[in-house]
Amino acid sequence: MKKNALTKKQRKTLKRILIALTIFIVLQVVSAVGAFDALPAGAGLWVQFALFLVPYLLAGYDVLAKAWHGIVHRQPFDENLLMAIATLGAFALVFFPEAEPHMAEGAAVMLFYQVGELFESYATNKTRKSIAAMMDIAPDYANIEDGEGNLVQVDPATVAVGDVIVVKPGERVPLDGEVVEGKSQLDTSALTGESVPSVVEPGVAAISGCINMTGVIRIKVKAPFAESTVSRILELVENASEKKARTERFITRFARYYTPIVVGLAVLIAVVSPFFGETLTASVQSALIFLVVSCPCALVISVPLSFFGGIGAASRIGVLVKGSSYMETLAHTETVVFDKTGTLTSGTFNVVAVHNEDHIDPDLLLSYAAHAEAYSDHPIAVSVKESYEGVIDQSQIDHVEERSGRGVAAEVRAHKVLVGNDKLMREAHVDFKDCELVGTILHVAVDGEYAGHIVIADVLKPDAKDTVAALRAAGVKRIVMLTGDREEVAAAVAGELGIDEYRSQLLPADKVAEVERLLGETSEAGKLAFVGDGINDAPVLMRADIGIAMGAMGSDAAIEAADVVLMDDKPSKIATAMKISHKTMGIVWQNIVFAIGVKIAIMILALPFIGIATMWLAVFGDVGVAIIAILNAMRALRVK
Ligand code: ADP
Ligand code: MG
C-alpha cells in the first residue's frame, strides 16, 4: 500500500463530500446573483430550502442516521445528535415567518463537520501508522539451513533456542542470538535511533529487529521468538495506550460534563430569552450556535493524539515509554536516582589485580571465583568469567546460591566457595584483608578460609557525565546515586560525574528504603525516577514514581518492572525523553486552553442580546478548532 494513502472508506467519504461541496457552491453562486429572488415571493424560499437539502443530505445522511441510532439505543448524547439538531434547527428556521433563512449555514455546518471528521480520521491513522512504521521491526521469516545446505524460510516462532539461523544482507535479524560466523554491520536505528551501525562478528550478540547491512552472518539463537527483543517491544507499544495520563482522563471526564451543560444552556436560551424580549429567531440561533460548539471533539481527539505522538517521538530515539501516564510523569520529574553498576558505568569490569594468599595459586583463585559465578548474570560475574582463561566445567559446581548485594556461595569441586564483598565475608565470619587499590573488591573464601581477593574496575559510560548536566538543564533538581559497591568506588564515580549525593554499600532492600525516603522529600507535584539495569533493583524500579530500565543489557525482570526502557542503555537519553515529554505536555495544554478558550468566547458572543456570533463562527469553533488542535498534536511526533 502507498504511504499516507487514504483508506477505501475515507476515499468514499471524500468523494461524497466533494460532490456535495460542488452542489453547495453552485447553489451559493445562483443565490448570490439573485436568481431565487426572481421567483415569485414565498416560492423562492421553499425552492432554496429544497435545493440546499440536497448537499446537506448527501454530506450528512450518515450523521443523521447515527444520531437516530443513538436515540433509539438510548445513548443520544454524542456529537452526531448535536450536529443533527444544530443543522436541522438551521433548516427549521424557515418555518418562522419573520426569521432570516439559514439553510446555507445548515448545509455548510454539516459539510465542514464532515471535512473535519475526515481529517481527524486521516490524522489519527497517520500518527498511529507512523509509530507502527517506526516499529516496523517484526520479522516475517528466519532462514534455516536444511540437510543439503539449502536455505529455507521458516516462521521465526518455530525456531528453537540453539538453532543456527542465516541472515543475509538487507534482511532483518529475526531472533536474538550470538553471531557464530561471518562479519557484518547492523543497522540498529529502528531500535535505538542510533544512526551509526554496529559491527558484529563471532561472539558478539545480534539483536532482533536490526537490519543486517553488509555480510552474511550465522546466528545461534539465544531466546525463543516470544521472548525476543522484537516481541517484547511490540508488546510494549501495543499496550501503551492503556495507561492513560491524568490529563487524558481529566479531558474524558470534562467532556462528559461539558456537552450536557452546554446543551442544557442552549435549551434554556431558546426557551427563556424570548420572554425577556429577545426575538424568537435570535434565541433559536443562539441556541444552535451553542449546540455546534458544544462538541468536545477538539479535545477528545487531540489530547490522546498528542500523547501518542510523544510516545512515538520517544521510541524514535530508542526510548520506550509504556504509556501516556509515564509521559506525563517524566515531564514532572524532580529527582532522578541512579543505580551505579550497569547504569552509569558500563558494567564490564576489568581485572585490575589478583591478591592471593600464600597458600593458594592466583590461577586457582580465579578458577574458584569463575566457577562460583558460573550461573550468575550479575555484571561482575560476567566479567570474572570473561577474564578467566580456562574452561568452566559445570559438573564441578553444586549448590549455587546468589546472595544479592553481597555475592555468591557455591560448592566447587566439593569445596565451599564464597565470592563477594565485605558483608559476605563478615556474615561467614571469614577474616579478610583490605585492599589499598580503588576498585570493586571480590573476596574469595574457600572452605571458610580466606583465599585472597580480586580487584576489578568498571568504566563510566561515555555519556554518563553529559547525562548529569543534561538532566539539570531539563529541570531535574536532585540527582542521587545508590550503589551496593564500596564507599571508595562510589565516591570516585560520584565525584567524577558531579553527582552531589550518593549512598554506598546498600543491599537491595536498603535501596528501596532509600528511594522511599527520597520520595518523601520530593515536592507535592514533583516526581521521582529511578534508573537501573534491573540486576538486583527490580523492586526499586517498581517503587519509584517512574522506573527506567536499561533494555539492551538489562534483565527481563527489569524491562517488565520498568515504565520506561532505554533500548541502547544510554542514560543521556533520559534527558532527551524528558524534553520530548515537556514538549508533549506543552502541546496538550496549548490545545486544552485554545479549544476551551475559543469555544467559551464564541458562546459569549452568541448569547442573546449580544448575538454577534454567526453560525459560520460556530462552525469554526467546532471543526476549525479541532483541525488546528490536531495539527498541533501532530507536532509532538517530530523529534529535534
Ligand atoms: P550496584 O548497586 O552497584 O548495582 P549490586 O547491588 O548489584 O551493585 O551489588 C552490590 C555489591 O554486591 C557489588 O559491588 C559486589 O561487591 C557484590 N555482589 C553482588 N553480586 C555479586 C556477584 N555475583 N559476585 C560477586 N559480588 C557480587
Ligand atoms: Mg546494579
Side-chain angles (χ1 to χ4, degrees):
M1 205 173 88
K2 219 171 64 206
K3 237 184 172 176
N4 295 343
L6 295 174
T7 65
K8 216 165 154 191
K9 195 168 152 227
Q10 286 172 335
R11 262 201 303 273
K12 253 173 86 182
T13 318
L14 181 66
K15 225 193 235 157
R16 191 153 60 92
I17 294 172
L18 285 177
I19 296 173
L21 193 66
T22 315
I23 300 175
F24 177 77
I25 291 171
V26 170
L27 288 177
Q28 281 291 69
V29 171
V30 170
S31 141
V33 299
F36 294 120
D37 303 333
L39 293 167
L45 191 62
W46 291 105
V47 170
Q48 274 192 61
F49 180 82
L51 287 176
F52 274 111
L53 264 183
V54 176
Y56 171 73
L57 289 177
L58 188 59
Y61 71 87
D62 54 336
V63 174
L64 297 178
K66 280 184 221 158
W68 179 246
H69 188 85
I71 296 172
V72 173
H73 289 85
R74 289 167 198 276
Q75 285 173 324
F77 269 112
D78 65 357
E79 42 181 330
N80 293 309
L81 180 74
L82 297 171
M83 275 301 136
I85 299 177
T87 51
L88 288 174
F91 274 91
L93 280 176
V94 83
F95 298 106
F96 298 94
E98 88 283 21
E100 261 180 69
H102 283 281
M103 286 87 74
E105 276 101 321
V109 169
M110 188 55 91
L111 262 169
F112 288 113
Y113 172 73
Q114 291 288 56
V115 171
E117 286 287 289
L118 188 65
F119 180 74
E120 275 167 24
S121 82
Y122 167 72
T124 314
N125 252 350
K126 187 172 173 223
T127 315
R128 280 182 195 270
K129 239 195 243 147
S130 64
I131 293 179
M134 217 155 38
M135 287 290 137
D136 182 19
I137 49 174
D140 302 320
Y141 60 86
N143 297 319
I144 286 215
E145 253 166 348
D146 65 9
E148 283 106 57
N150 301 316
L151 285 188
V152 276
Q153 294 190 351
V154 297
D155 180 349
T158 62
V159 179
V161 174
D163 284 358
V164 173
I165 54 171
V166 180
V167 186
K168 292 182 281 187
E171 286 182 335
R172 199 178 291 284
V173 177
L175 293 131
D176 293 349
E178 186 186 305
V179 177
V180 288
E181 198 189 318
K183 198 173 163 180
S184 183
Q185 295 186 327
L186 296 187
D187 176 356
T188 60
S189 58
L191 298 177
T192 64
E194 182 63 68
S195 53
V196 183
S198 73
V199 176
V200 290
E201 53 194 16
V204 174
I207 297 171
S208 54
C210 300
I211 303 220
N212 182 17
M213 288 162 58
T214 49
V216 177
I217 46 175
R218 288 187 156 67
I219 297 173
K220 187 167 184 189
V221 176
K222 285 275 154 88
F225 183 63
E227 286 163 31
S228 67
T229 307
V230 156
S231 304
R232 282 202 314 238
I233 294 177
L234 290 177
E235 207 182 287
L236 292 186
V237 172
E238 270 155 29
N239 296 331
S241 54
E242 282 168 19
K243 304 224 170 63
K244 291 210 181 349
R246 250 188 28 197
T247 321
E248 220 172 334
R249 288 197 302 263
F250 160 75
I251 285 303
T252 319
R253 238 177 318 139
F254 172 83
R256 257 206 307 266
Y257 293 106
Y258 170 80
T259 307
I261 288 175
V262 178
V263 172
L265 284 175
V267 173
L268 204 68
I269 288 169
V271 175
V272 173
S273 56
F275 290 105
F276 292 88
E278 181 60 286
T279 64
L280 187 62
T281 331
S283 308
V284 171
Q285 195 178 341
S286 293
L288 291 179
I289 290 174
F290 265 61
L291 287 182
V292 175
V293 295
S294 72
C295 170
C297 42
L299 294 172
V300 174
I301 294 167
S302 78
V303 169
L305 204 62
S306 309
F307 279 114
F308 211 73
I311 292 175
S315 49
R316 267 189 191 164
I317 59 155
V319 178
L320 296 182
V321 179
K322 288 198 197 166
S324 38
S325 66
Y326 306 119
M327 219 6 138
E328 194 173 40
T329 312
L330 263 183
H332 295 125
T333 300
E334 184 182 280
T335 308
V336 177
V337 182
F338 283 102
D339 176 49
K340 180 184 74 75
T341 314
T343 304
L344 289 170
T345 66
S346 72
T348 42
F349 293 82
N350 293 317
V351 173
V352 177
V354 179
H355 293 159
N356 54 302
E357 293 295 288
D358 294 336
H359 68 269
I360 192 168
D361 181 74
D363 286 338
L364 185 59
L365 182 75
L366 212 56
S367 158
Y368 275 130
H371 279 80
E373 298 277 20
Y375 294 102
S376 173
D377 290 328
H378 196 280
I380 291 180
V382 175
S383 307
V384 167
K385 282 179 273 184
E386 226 145 68
S387 63
Y388 174 62
E389 277 163 5
V391 258
I392 294 176
D393 180 354
Q394 306 220 346
S395 69
Q396 299 178 351
I397 313 163
D398 225 338
H399 299 105
V400 184
E401 196 189 320
E402 181 124 21
R403 308 220 176 130
S404 60
R406 278 160 290 198
V408 290
E411 227 164 77
V412 180
R413 301 190 276 270
H415 295 290
K416 287 199 164 62
V417 178
L418 295 173
V419 185
N421 53 20
D422 304 10
K423 281 199 179 96
L424 186 74
M425 293 296 124
R426 275 196 210 100
E427 277 170 12
H429 307 291
V430 173
D431 271 335
F432 58 92
K433 288 193 181 141
D434 270 329
C435 187
E436 75 290 352
L437 295 176
V438 174
T440 304
I441 309 289
L442 290 186
H443 296 293
V444 182
V446 181
D447 292 325
E449 197 183 344
Y450 191 56
H453 54 247
I454 304 166
V455 186
I456 56 176
D458 199 358
V459 288
L460 290 177
K461 285 190 185 165
D463 65 330
K465 204 161 177 172
D466 296 340
T467 303
V468 175
L471 286 177
R472 293 230 162 87
V476 174
K477 298 212 185 79
R478 194 171 182 190
I479 299 174
V480 185
M481 185 183 87
L482 303 181
T483 180
D485 210 342
R486 295 168 75 198
E487 167 68 21
E488 289 87 338
V489 179
V493 169
E496 195 159 341
L497 295 180
I499 294 180
D500 23 71
E501 282 181 74
Y502 69 86
R503 307 272 184 288
S504 62
Q505 289 179 303
L506 300 175
L507 293 176
D510 302 333
K511 289 187 187 173
V512 176
E514 197 61 32
V515 162
E516 269 166 1
R517 189 180 65 80
L518 291 166
L519 274 170
E521 289 173 11
T522 54
S523 70
E524 189 80 29
K527 301 286 181 197
L528 180 144
F530 178 82
V531 194
D533 63 349
I535 311 269
N536 291 347
D537 53 23
V540 203
L541 282 170
M542 306 270 272
R543 189 64 194 83
D545 290 323
I546 182 162
I548 305 177
M550 304 292 134
M553 70 171 269
S555 65
D556 289 357
I559 295 173
E560 278 295 307
D563 309 314
V564 175
V565 180
L566 306 179
M567 286 310 299
D568 56 0
D569 289 5
K570 285 195 184 138
S572 56
K573 290 278 173 75
I574 300 168
T576 320
M578 275 180 188
K579 277 193 211 132
I580 292 175
S581 74
H582 286 142
K583 182 177 163 192
T584 306
M585 291 312 292
I587 290 173
V588 165
W589 282 104
Q590 283 159 17
N591 281 346
I592 292 176
V593 171
F594 169 71
I596 297 180
V598 170
K599 281 176 191 258
I600 289 180
I602 290 174
M603 284 193 261
I604 292 172
L605 294 178
L607 284 175
F609 304 107
I610 301 179
I612 310 173
T614 61
M615 200 64 144
W616 295 103
L617 192 61
V619 178
F620 169 76
D622 177 42
V623 186
V625 168
I627 291 179
I628 293 171
I630 289 168
L631 284 174
N632 195 28
M634 287 169 84
R635 283 196 311 127
L637 193 62
R638 280 206 296 269
V639 212
K640 267 162 215 146

